[in-house]
């Protein structure tokens, strides 16, 4: 019995004469580099090729507090700050302080507990109306809490007014995570 052993070059070899040179050629042609894009030129070419006259952003859809469900993201909500329930200063590793505020906020339909950090927390003033864009809902100790992460935005709203807030606090509802048995 004879065993024929064919020695293949190591995968790290990128010489053009290696057995895997065709693989490397494909990799080189598909590699991309980061660079500066002239957005006006890019969008004008894209519009010419697609045949559309202009690109428009969609207006955000604002929900009512009663429509908020657990473990969802991307909420846009107008809220009136009912009360600030807690305020805390946390020291970061670099020595700066981070302001964290918990508040009870609501609209005409219901109220909800909200936690904001940093610059967003400074916008909380009792009786003021704020807009939360791209907010997320966290379930903390089986209760809903509306939060804003780095992708979200909090703004003070002067044009939008909320009269009286709803009596129901959706954060008082206890949620339990159910694990479905797929067997």
């Amino acid at each position: 019995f004879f065993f024929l052993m064919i020695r293949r070059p190591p995968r790290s070899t990128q010489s053009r004469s290696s057995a895997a040179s065709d693989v490397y050629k494909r990799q080189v042609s598909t590699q991309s580099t980061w660079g500066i894009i002239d957005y006006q030129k890019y969008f004008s070419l894209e519009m010419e090729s697609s045949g559309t006259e202009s690109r428009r952003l969609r207006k955000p859809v604002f929900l009512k507090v009663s429509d908020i469900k657990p473990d969802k993201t991307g909420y846009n909500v107008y809220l009136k700050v009912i009360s600030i329930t807690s305020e805390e200063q946390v020291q970061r590793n670099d020595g700066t302080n981070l302001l964290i505020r918990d508040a009870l906020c609501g609209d005409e339909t219901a109220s909800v507990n909200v936690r904001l950090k940093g610059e967003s927390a400074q916008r909380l003033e009792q009786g003021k109306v704020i807009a939360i864009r791209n907010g997320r809902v966290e379930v903390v100790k089986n209760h809903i809490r509306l939060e804003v992460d780095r992708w979200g935005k909090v703004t003070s709203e002067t044009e939008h007014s909320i009269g009286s807030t709803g009596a129901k606090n959706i954060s008082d509802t206890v949620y339990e995570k159910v694990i479905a048995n797929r067997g």
Side-chain angles (χ1 to χ4, degrees), residues 85-147:
T85 55
S86 71
E87 184 173 315
E88 183 180 0
Q89 291 277 346
V90 177
Q91 189 171 12
R92 295 180 176 171
N93 291 338
D94 62 358
T96 60
N97 289 331
L98 175 67
L99 176 65
I100 300 173
R101 284 187 179 162
D102 292 330
L104 179 64
C105 301
D107 62 7
E108 300 87 4
T109 60
S111 58
V112 64
N113 292 338
V114 177
R115 171 170 275 192
L116 297 177
K117 300 175 184 175
E119 293 179 12
S120 300
Q122 294 173 354
R123 289 189 169 77
L124 284 178
E125 293 180 34
Q126 190 168 348
K128 298 284 183 176
V129 176
I130 60 171
I132 295 180
R133 290 177 175 82
N134 201 18
R136 82 175 174 199
V137 174
E138 288 291 320
V139 178
V140 179
K141 296 182 182 176
N142 296 338
H143 297 279
I144 281 182
R145 181 171 68 195
L146 190 59
E147 295 183 351

Side-chain angles (χ1 to χ4, degrees), residues 6-176:
I6 300 174
R7 187 171 185 268
R8 300 184 74 203
R11 292 179 187 241
S12 62
T13 304
Q14 293 188 15
S15 69
R16 301 287 181 213
S17 62
S18 70
S21 65
D22 58 332
V23 173
Y24 295 120
K25 287 177 188 173
R26 277 186 266 135
Q27 287 178 353
V28 169
S29 65
T30 59
Q31 288 179 351
S32 62
T33 58
W34 293 94
I36 299 172
I37 296 174
D38 183 6
Y39 285 103
Q40 291 176 343
K41 182 179 176 183
Y42 175 75
F43 283 117
S44 65
L45 289 175
E46 190 174 358
M47 282 185 259
E48 289 173 8
S49 65
S50 65
T52 59
E53 294 180 12
S54 65
R55 292 192 173 262
R56 294 188 180 161
L57 294 175
R58 290 185 299 154
K59 290 196 175 224
V61 176
F62 284 86
L63 300 176
K64 297 293 183 184
V65 174
S66 60
D67 297 333
I68 293 176
K69 304 294 178 217
D71 288 334
K72 298 290 182 181
T73 60
Y75 285 112
N76 298 320
V77 183
Y78 287 115
L79 298 170
K80 181 178 183 178
V81 180
I82 300 169
S83 65
I84 297 174
T85 55
S86 71
E87 184 173 315
E88 183 180 0
Q89 291 277 346
V90 177
Q91 189 171 12
R92 295 180 176 171
N93 291 338
D94 62 358
T96 60
N97 289 331
L98 175 67
L99 176 65
I100 300 173
R101 284 187 179 162
D102 292 330
L104 179 64
C105 301
D107 62 7
E108 300 87 4
T109 60
S111 58
V112 64
N113 292 338
V114 177
R115 171 170 275 192
L116 297 177
K117 300 175 184 175
E119 293 179 12
S120 300
Q122 294 173 354
R123 289 189 169 77
L124 284 178
E125 293 180 34
Q126 190 168 348
K128 298 284 183 176
V129 176
I130 60 171
I132 295 180
R133 290 177 175 82
N134 201 18
R136 82 175 174 199
V137 174
E138 288 291 320
V139 178
V140 179
K141 296 182 182 176
N142 296 338
H143 297 279
I144 281 182
R145 181 171 68 195
L146 190 59
E147 295 183 351
V148 176
D149 58 8
R150 65 178 151 185
W151 308 113
K153 182 178 179 181
V154 178
T155 56
S156 298
E157 294 293 320
T158 56
E159 296 176 5
H160 194 82
S161 64
I162 297 174
S164 62
T165 57
K168 181 182 178 188
N169 185 350
I170 64 170
S171 296
D172 289 340
T173 305
V174 177
Y175 289 91
E176 184 177 317

